[in-house]
Amino acid sequence: FRYLLLNKNIGYMFDSPEAVDQVSKTATITILNKSSILFCEGDIPNGWYLIVDGSVDVIIRYFLIAEDCLFDSDIDETSDFAHLMDSMHLDIKVDKLKRIKTLCENDVFGQHSYYLDKRRSATIVGVSSETILMKFPESTLKNTESLIRLTRIFAINKSLIHSALPRLRDDQLLLINGFSEEIKLPAGRKITE
């Protein structure tokens, strides 16, 4: 309970110590070895996670990205992902995988599938020799402050992203919303050049 209470990512999701206490009672420990797959893109979600120790890669398939959002090709990732492509039954001639992020200690992941009411939008693979995860059931996300906040943010962001990337399908917009983050900037601050 204390570990979760002091974690800022968990604190952001739940609005009271009592809510965190209830969540702590549902936690189970999962250990993920290096190169092991926790779940694959397209899987039905069965929980969300907090990294206690170690790290995981977040990997997506290129076909989910619109042509104006393609990443540069990386030959190392092609060879790194050969075993992953085999286990996912992907064709190297057609499918490409891209590591979009590495998550580390105290990061939370897997909850977006529930916020979006969608299947898994990425594949999670262990990076460390041993990654220790706390796993939580879906029921812990019902009626939380974060669900209410993110539902509002997703509704706003969908129309903004659609105006910026009009050729994206709704499922692609939802995927991008799942990775979006709300930040506040002072008026007049330069965002990009």
Side-chain angles (χ1 to χ4, degrees):
F1 165 69
R2 281 184 224 132
Y3 179 80
L4 294 179
L5 190 61
L6 297 174
N7 183 293
K8 66 178 181 155
N9 294 322
I10 297 292
Y12 176 78
M13 294 174 69
F14 299 96
D15 54 355
S16 71
E18 294 77 24
V20 174
D21 183 45
Q22 289 301 312
V23 168
S24 72
K25 293 173 182 172
T26 67
T28 57
I29 298 295
T30 299
I31 296 178
L32 185 66
N33 295 318
K34 183 177 179 74
S35 300
S36 294
I37 301 169
L38 181 64
F39 55 75
C40 289
E41 179 181 315
D43 286 353
I44 295 171
N46 67 345
W48 58 280
Y49 301 84
L50 167 69
I51 301 175
V52 176
D53 187 39
S55 56
V56 298
D57 278 338
V58 180
I59 299 166
I60 62 169
R61 290 171 66 183
Y62 272 154
F63 82 92
L64 290 176
I65 305 298
E67 62 187 69
D68 50 351
C69 299
L70 283 176
F71 298 103
D72 293 332
S73 179
D74 184 339
I75 192 69
D76 291 335
E77 287 185 345
T78 302
S79 59
D80 286 351
F81 297 147
H83 78 285
L84 186 56
M85 292 188 77
D86 286 344
S87 65
M88 294 172 71
H89 308 292
L90 300 178
D91 182 351
I92 197 162
K93 295 175 192 163
V94 178
D95 298 297
K96 302 290 183 225
L97 297 177
K98 177 69 180 174
R99 177 184 301 111
I100 59 168
K101 195 174 197 178
T102 298
L103 301 174
C104 302
E105 185 177 338
N106 293 320
D107 284 336
V108 175
F109 66 93
Q111 73 277 24
H112 291 109
S113 292
Y114 300 111
Y115 296 148
L116 299 171
D117 194 24
K118 296 284 183 184
R119 290 176 178 254
R120 297 293 190 193
S121 59
T123 298
I124 302 295
V125 178
V127 174
S128 304
S129 59
E130 190 175 84
T131 300
I132 301 172
L133 305 166
M134 268 192 208
K135 181 180 179 182
F136 305 94
E138 171 189 8
S139 60
T140 57
L141 295 176
K142 303 278 187 209
N143 299 318
T144 63
E145 182 64 29
S146 64
L147 179 58
I148 295 164
R149 184 183 318 117
L150 287 173
T151 302
R152 181 183 49 79
I153 290 169
F154 292 159
I156 294 167
N157 287 347
K158 181 178 176 184
S159 62
L160 290 173
I161 292 173
H162 182 67
S163 65
L165 303 165
R167 293 192 318 227
L168 293 182
R169 299 183 317 263
D170 279 350
D171 62 322
Q172 292 171 319
L173 292 175
L174 287 171
L175 175 63
I176 289 173
N177 273 329
F179 292 106
S180 67
E181 185 176 330
E182 183 177 319
I183 58 172
K184 295 186 187 290
L185 296 172
R189 181 168 178 185
K190 186 187 292 187
I191 297 171
T192 187
E193 295 187 58

